[in-house]
Amino acid sequence: MGYLDEKVALITGGGTGIGRATALLFAGEGADVAVNYSRSQTEAEATVSDIQALGRRALAVCADVSDDAAVQNMVDRAVAELGRLDILVNNAGTTRFVALDDLEGLTDEAWDAIFDVNARGTFYCSRAAVPKIRATGGGHIVNIASIAGMIGQGSSMAYCASKAAVINLTRSLAVSQAPDICVNAIAPGVVDTRWVIGQDAFLQANREATPLKRIATPEDVAKAVFGLAINDFITGQTLVVDGGKTL
């Protein structure tokens, strides 16, 4: 028996990194999982195969979360094929690497691309999922934010601002969807994913600046997502998962 027996989760950006780790953890706890992807089809299908090997149902669903119609179709398909929806994890995200002091380098295209996925996408997915989650009697939404949205430092100023928007959106959704749906966010620090491949000096500097002397694994973050997804008396909160980096 798992904590998520008979539950269905939809995880955006579920084929790689934090999304994949969360999908596998949820499946190990008894959930069936819809794995969203936009470009990482091979990785999403591999994640689906690994979930099925755990004895759970799963499907890969292609959708750009910044496209409202695509999001509606994704949610409808997940419910049609898996029967219900109890948990949404808004994990899909993007960035552009622009130094904070390079104000001219942060183009309109970068702002729009980052906000369309990180902020607008989180809203679109939540809006589409809410009636489906309510139909099951209630459930959870967990948004993946970032400490960048709290401290104003990260891959770009637009990324920081978009994650601050996710944190504020989490609070608004929590108030508006209570008492049926708990809405929370995770704010990771640096996580060992493909975003930081090859950035050895950056990773080492973060290890040294972190009290726990390492950077997060996707599994570290997935465990935090799982904790919020099974707790029915936490809502509107942002849980920092950074090994003490922001202390």
Side-chain angles (χ1 to χ4, degrees), residues 140 142 184-186 223-231 234 237 239:
H140 297 80
V142 182
N184 293 287
I186 301 293
K223 290 173 186 175
V225 175
F226 172 71
L228 291 177
I230 63 171
N231 193 302
I234 300 176
Q237 303 304 305
L239 176 61

Side-chain angles (χ1 to χ4, degrees), residues 91-174:
N91 170 69
T94 192
T95 193
R96 299 289 190 277
F97 291 89
V98 182
L100 292 183
D101 59 357
D102 184 10
L103 301 185
E104 297 300 326
L106 198 53
T107 64
D108 288 349
E109 184 275 333
W111 275 98
D112 291 345
I114 291 168
F115 264 80
D116 280 351
V117 172
N118 296 356
R120 196 190 303 270
T122 296
F123 174 71
Y124 283 165
C125 291
S126 299
R127 180 168 64 182
V130 159
K132 309 298 186 183
I133 297 174
R134 285 188 181 279
T136 70
H140 297 80
I141 297 174
V142 182
N143 301 322
I144 305 300
S146 169
I147 61 170
M150 305 170 119
I151 65 174
Q153 299 175 47
S155 53
S156 72
M157 195 174 292
Y159 179 78
C160 296
S162 74
K163 291 302 188 177
V166 170
I167 291 169
N168 198 280
L169 178 60
T170 297
R171 296 173 67 90
S172 295
L173 285 169

Side-chain angles (χ1 to χ4, degrees), residues 190 201-211 213-215 245:
V190 178
F202 169 77
L203 294 174
Q204 184 57 31
N206 272 273
R207 289 188 191 97
E208 293 173 357
T210 299
K213 298 304 178 187
R214 66 178 181 87
I215 61 172
K245 176 77 165 16

Side-chain angles (χ1 to χ4, degrees), residues 25-51:
L25 178 56
F26 278 18
E29 290 292 338
D32 297 328
V33 186
V35 178
N36 159 259
Y37 69 95
S38 60
R39 294 183 299 274
S40 302
Q41 180 177 359
T42 299
E43 293 87 345
E45 290 176 349
T47 299
V48 165
S49 294
D50 289 342
I51 292 168

